[in-house]
Amino acid sequence: MKTITGAIAVEGKHIVKDFQIGNTTTKVLKDISLQVMQREFVSIMGPSGSGKSTLLYILGGLDAPTSGQIMLNGTDISRFDDEKMSRIRRQKIGFVFQFYNLIPNLNVEENIMLPLLLDGKKMGSYKKQLDEILELVGLSERRKHTPRELSGGQQQRVAIARALIGKPEILFADEPTGNLDSKTGAEIMSLLREINQSSGQTIIMVTHSPEAVKSTSRVITVQDGVIQKCV
């Protein structure tokens, strides 16, 4: 494994994930251990069915391991109850998905602010932060548009802004360019790289795209539920 230094953002210790279907147990992740440091931009690659997205969801608290630990800045979150884990996801973790998951009848700024509103925050208290993040993702002129008035790339920019508005410790991205053409995908990767480099945002991304990987600082390759390579 590549030698890395600095503070650990998230660490997986002996992660195992089994799925039970009837009497059959499928082992998806098999004793995976890894560390991602603060300010890193890490990509996770692997063939379909390798377990890479399952690993991402477990690291981000969207799924629980069968066994093992997930340490988020030194705190074991792997056995948190639903309420506590939901609060961690709202306050410390950001997620970007292949399909943008925007609310159709909300405009751009309302979609971006949604996680904070769900956490009981007032929209007016975040005007400066909202203006800055709209500028960052290049959507200042589109703030009152609804998702149906935006291109796929613009919708993904809204999703990225929504994930970042709460200033998460880690941004998790699951195939963020998978639903975009190559040119738009390259623009999204350029934006993620800028976010990582300008603000030091830790990013962990699952991708199947060799082009997307070029924007990241380290690649973890998963195959058959184990880490094959980390460079």
Side-chain angles (χ1 to χ4, degrees):
M1 181 179 292
K2 182 178 178 179
T3 302
I4 47 181
T5 59
I8 299 171
V10 64
E11 180 176 12
K13 296 182 176 182
H14 304 290
I15 302 170
V16 172
K17 183 64 178 180
D18 299 336
F19 286 107
Q20 190 77 31
I21 302 175
N23 295 323
T24 303
T25 299
T26 301
K27 294 187 175 296
V28 178
L29 299 178
K30 308 167 185 175
D31 195 22
I32 283 183
S33 294
L34 77 164
Q35 295 177 344
V36 175
M37 315 310 288
Q38 291 178 5
R39 307 177 72 88
E40 272 200 292
F41 189 173
V42 174
S43 54
I44 302 175
M45 291 195 76
S48 297
S50 62
K52 59 184 184 297
S53 289
T54 300
L55 176 60
L56 187 81
Y57 294 162
I58 288 175
L59 291 175
L62 288 180
D63 197 359
T66 303
S67 63
Q69 293 177 290
I70 309 301
M71 310 297 292
L72 180 66
N73 283 335
T75 299
D76 185 1
I77 66 169
S78 51
R79 295 295 178 264
F80 278 9
D81 60 29
D82 289 344
E83 182 180 352
K84 201 168 184 179
M85 197 62 244
S86 180
R87 187 166 63 251
I88 289 289
R89 286 195 296 267
R90 290 197 308 271
Q91 297 175 354
K92 296 182 180 295
I93 292 170
F95 262 97
V96 177
F97 299 95
Q98 177 176 349
F99 299 100
Y100 325 117
N101 298 331
L102 303 180
I103 307 300
N105 60 332
L106 298 183
N107 64 30
V108 166
E109 60 184 21
E110 290 167 340
N111 266 289
I112 292 171
M113 285 298 299
L114 190 59
L116 294 181
L117 297 176
L118 291 174
D119 209 30
K121 305 292 195 306
K122 301 294 184 183
M123 192 163 177
S125 303
Y126 288 84
K127 184 181 184 308
K128 183 175 184 292
Q129 188 173 326
L130 178 60
D131 289 346
E132 290 173 348
I133 206 162
L134 282 165
E135 181 69 25
L136 174 66
V137 299
L139 291 174
S140 296
E141 304 302 316
R142 299 273 184 165
R143 62 194 305 150
K144 297 300 183 182
H145 290 228
T146 59
R148 66 177 60 89
E149 299 173 290
L150 304 176
S151 67
Q154 289 169 335
Q155 289 185 61
Q156 190 63 292
R157 288 172 182 270
V158 176
I160 291 169
R162 180 184 57 193
L164 292 173
I165 191 67
K167 297 185 176 179
E169 295 175 8
I170 306 174
L171 178 65
F172 293 91
D174 187 15
E175 300 277 10
T177 65
N179 203 34
L180 302 172
D181 62 70
S182 58
K183 179 178 181 295
T184 307
E187 292 170 355
I188 291 298
M189 288 310 306
S190 178
L191 173 61
L192 289 174
R193 184 171 61 249
E194 178 187 349
I195 290 166
N196 169 252
Q197 293 178 349
S198 64
S199 68
Q201 175 70 58
T202 305
I203 303 175
I204 305 175
M205 176 185 72
V206 160
T207 184
H208 67 275
S209 167
E211 288 301 313
V213 165
K214 294 177 183 177
S215 296
T216 66
S217 55
R218 189 158 61 101
V219 183
I220 297 171
T221 303
V222 178
Q223 187 167 352
D224 297 327
V226 298
I227 292 177
Q228 293 286 342
K229 187 165 56 174
C230 185
V231 295

